[in-house]
């Protein structure tokens, strides 16, 4: 029987992939002897263009290079990320379908929604956690505020809109906290991702937005102006802009840093999770990974499997309590 011309090459690539996988995690073949033997699917429950999509594509490309199997990123926006997350939660636990989503959608959604088509505690398991870095807090060109306290005073006198990249997201919860603590009546407008959100801020349809530096930078030349950043340290990209904590904003959420979670269906073999986590951590050490972190102004590196699990035990309860205390319901 005559073999196809590329048969030997395919066998060589498959052998290299198996060798790479076993070198990543000793004992991998004992639990999942033939993984990976087909393409990997990475689901992003947001449109292209934001930090979530950028990290997913970085991880997917590095996985292809390291393990010799193609990886495809699928954007499945809508429903406050529920559509995309549901696809992964209901997928086989075989290491071939993964999720990259914002931490809020896999942490707080369990209390932000009365009913979900999946159980975030039992249907998904974390693999790695990519930090989001300080988020830019920026106002529309027609808003005169130069810092957050001036914006709060501005918002007390008139109706203003907060642009949010997803229901229950960081900006959604910040707006709710400001309303409760500062006497504002900020209305949150929900978008399917960061790109359309910032476009409306630039067009003065929304007066303020909160999101990644890189996405904000696409509209900065159109007059969108940063008045603060979230978290406990300044953005390397906006060193002259003080954090909201530095400005004396004492609502508890503004000092916290969220992230982007890489997850798999619960029941995925432990050795496969370890291999995927190693690829995720290694991808930021590449030239492309370093450029991505630099462009988004993210100084911190992702947490590995053990570190991510520790955060799940210590930080997730804090975020969930904030959502419960605020009483936000999205259905």
């Amino acid at each position: 029987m005559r073999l196809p011309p590329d048969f030997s090459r395919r066998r060589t690539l498959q052998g290299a992939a198996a060798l790479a996988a076993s070198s990543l995690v000793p004992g991998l073949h004992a639990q999942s002897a033939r993984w990976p033997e087909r393409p990997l699917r990475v689901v992003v429950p947001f449109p292209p263009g934001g930090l979530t999509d950028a990290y997913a594509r970085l991880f997917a490309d590095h996985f292809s290079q390291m393990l010799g199997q193609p990886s495809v990123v699928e954007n499945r926006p809508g429903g406050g990320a529920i559509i995309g997350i549901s696809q992964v939660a209901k997928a086989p636990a075989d290491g071939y379908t993964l999720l990259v989503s914002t931490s809020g959608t896999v942490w707080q959604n369990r209390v932000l929604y009365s009913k979900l088509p999946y159980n975030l505690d039992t249907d998904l398991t974390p693999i790695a956690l990519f930090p989001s870095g300080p988020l830019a807090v920026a106002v529309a060109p027609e808003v005169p505020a130069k810092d957050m306290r001036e914006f709060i005073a501005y918002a007390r006198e008139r109706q203003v809109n907060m642009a949010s990249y997803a229901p229950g997201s960081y900006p959604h919860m910040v707006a709710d906290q400001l309303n409760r603590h500062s006497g504002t009546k900020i209305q949150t407008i929900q978008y399917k991702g960061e790109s359309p959100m910032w476009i409306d801020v630039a067009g003065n349809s929304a007066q303020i937005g909160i999101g990644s530096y890189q996405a904000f930078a696409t509209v900065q030349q159109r007059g969108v102006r940063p008045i603060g950043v979230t978290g406990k340290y300044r953005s390397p990209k906006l060193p002259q802009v003080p954090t909201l904590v530095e400005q004396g904003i004492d609502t508890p959420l503004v000092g916290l840093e969220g992230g982007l979670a890489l997850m798999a269906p619960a029941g995925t073999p432990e050795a496969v999770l370890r291999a995927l986590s190693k690829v995720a951590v290694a991808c930021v050490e590449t030239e492309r990974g370093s450029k991505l972190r630099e462009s988004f102004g993210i100084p911190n590196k992702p947490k590995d499997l053990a570190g991510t699990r520790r955060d799940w035990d210590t930080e997730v309860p804090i975020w969930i309590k904030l959502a419960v205390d605020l009483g936000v319901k999205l259905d």
Side-chain angles (χ1 to χ4, degrees):
M1 180 177 68
R2 186 177 181 181
L3 297 176
D6 63 342
F7 178 79
S8 296
R9 181 175 179 272
R10 290 204 308 267
R11 289 294 298 272
T12 300
L13 288 174
Q14 290 169 356
L19 180 62
S22 60
S23 65
L24 277 172
V25 180
L28 175 65
H29 290 281
Q31 291 193 41
S32 184
R34 303 178 66 182
W35 184 92
E37 63 174 354
R38 63 178 189 271
L40 187 81
R41 183 167 67 113
V42 183
V43 177
V44 177
F46 300 102
L51 178 59
T52 311
D53 182 72
Y55 259 134
R57 294 181 187 279
L58 171 68
F59 167 77
D61 288 350
H62 195 64
F63 178 92
S64 299
Q65 294 170 17
M66 292 287 291
L67 298 181
Q69 291 290 345
S71 297
V72 179
V73 174
E74 295 184 5
N75 297 90
R76 291 288 183 265
I82 291 174
I83 294 173
I85 294 174
S86 184
Q87 288 191 356
V88 179
K90 296 175 181 178
D94 54 12
Y96 291 100
T97 303
L98 304 177
L99 171 75
V100 177
S101 190
T102 59
S103 55
T105 61
V106 293
W107 291 354
Q108 296 120 278
N109 272 12
R110 69 197 72 204
V111 295
L112 295 174
Y113 290 90
S114 302
K115 187 176 182 180
L116 291 169
Y118 45 79
N119 187 315
L120 286 167
D121 291 314
T122 60
D123 292 345
L124 293 164
T125 188
I127 299 170
L129 190 62
F130 298 95
S132 59
L135 300 179
V137 183
V139 294
E142 293 181 357
V143 175
K146 300 181 182 64
D147 57 36
M148 195 61 180
R149 289 203 171 277
E150 288 188 8
F151 178 80
I152 290 172
Y154 178 84
R156 284 181 180 141
E157 300 297 325
R158 55 187 57 78
Q159 177 66 55
V160 299
N161 297 325
M162 167 77 82
S164 167
Y165 46 79
S169 65
Y170 199 105
H172 187 180
M173 298 189 75
V174 167
D176 192 85
Q177 281 198 337
L178 289 174
N179 289 342
R180 291 170 183 269
H181 290 268
S182 303
T184 55
K185 294 182 180 179
I186 301 170
Q187 180 70 38
T188 305
I189 302 176
Q190 305 296 350
Y191 294 86
K192 294 180 179 180
E194 286 194 78
S195 295
M197 175 191 92
W198 285 118
I199 289 172
D200 268 13
V201 176
N204 295 293
S205 297
Q207 285 68 52
I208 188 170
I210 302 177
S212 67
Y213 167 78
Q214 197 269 356
F216 149 74
T218 63
V219 295
Q220 190 172 10
Q221 295 302 314
R222 296 175 58 184
V224 180
R225 188 173 62 262
I227 60 170
V229 297
T230 65
K232 292 184 172 64
Y233 55 92
R234 296 190 181 192
S235 167
K237 289 291 188 178
L238 298 167
Q240 77 284 5
V241 179
T243 67
L244 299 186
V245 174
E246 288 180 278
Q247 296 181 45
I249 307 302
D250 57 2
T251 54
L253 185 64
V254 299
L256 298 177
E257 180 180 359
L260 306 170
L262 172 65
M263 306 190 76
T268 299
E270 181 72 10
V272 173
L273 296 178
R274 291 201 301 271
L276 289 166
S277 180
K278 284 182 177 290
V279 173
V281 172
C283 73
V284 302
E285 302 292 349
T286 64
E287 181 180 358
R288 178 180 170 186
S290 297
K291 288 181 178 178
L292 184 149
R293 291 174 50 243
E294 194 275 335
S295 67
F296 277 89
I298 302 172
N300 299 339
K301 297 179 181 180
K303 302 284 183 69
D304 62 9
L305 185 61
T308 299
R309 285 172 171 169
R310 284 194 298 270
D311 280 2
W312 238 253
D313 291 336
T314 58
E315 293 193 16
V316 175
I318 297 173
W319 286 87
I320 291 176
K321 185 178 185 304
L322 282 170
V324 171
D325 291 345
L326 290 172
V328 176
K329 283 293 181 182
L330 303 178
D331 53 11

